[in-house]
Amino acid sequence: MILKWKNRQLAKNKKPHICITASLLGILELGMPAVYLYNGELIRTSAVRSILEETPERVRFETQNSIYTISCDATPTDAVNAA
């Protein structure tokens, strides 16, 4: 009985992992939402809790609701000019 309850708790605490190719607009800041351009739409996340990885090819970060991996397809300036 206790084991079943623990498994349910673990499932509830698991955040969805979102993997996309998009253009991150702006700098990631803890406590602030991330903003990115995806398929021509401007998307704003919930507040960033931690930045897990930053490379020239991608960025991984955790928000209040999800974990994101954004593979960069263009620089933020290129994305804004294209929109």
Side-chain angles (χ1 to χ4, degrees):
M1 182 77 155
I2 293 174
L3 184 58
K4 285 183 181 180
W5 183 81
K6 284 185 179 181
N7 287 339
R8 281 191 212 146
Q9 287 297 102
L10 289 175
K12 283 183 182 179
N13 295 334
K14 214 170 189 194
K15 294 182 179 183
H17 193 150
I18 300 167
C19 298
I20 56 171
T21 299
S23 297
L24 190 62
L25 304 178
I27 298 170
L28 288 179
E29 293 184 51
L30 297 178
M32 299 297 294
V35 179
Y36 61 91
L37 188 63
Y38 178 69
N39 286 340
E41 291 191 37
L42 198 60
I43 309 292
R44 189 175 96 180
T45 69
S46 57
V48 174
R49 289 203 169 170
S50 66
I51 299 170
L52 306 172
E53 176 186 8
E54 280 184 290
T55 68
E57 296 83 25
R58 72 175 168 262
V59 64
R60 279 185 357 116
F61 59 94
E62 180 180 2
T63 67
Q64 292 175 336
N65 304 319
S66 306
I67 296 173
Y68 288 85
T69 299
I70 298 180
S71 297
C72 302
D73 63 351
T75 63
T77 306
D78 293 340
V80 170
N81 291 337

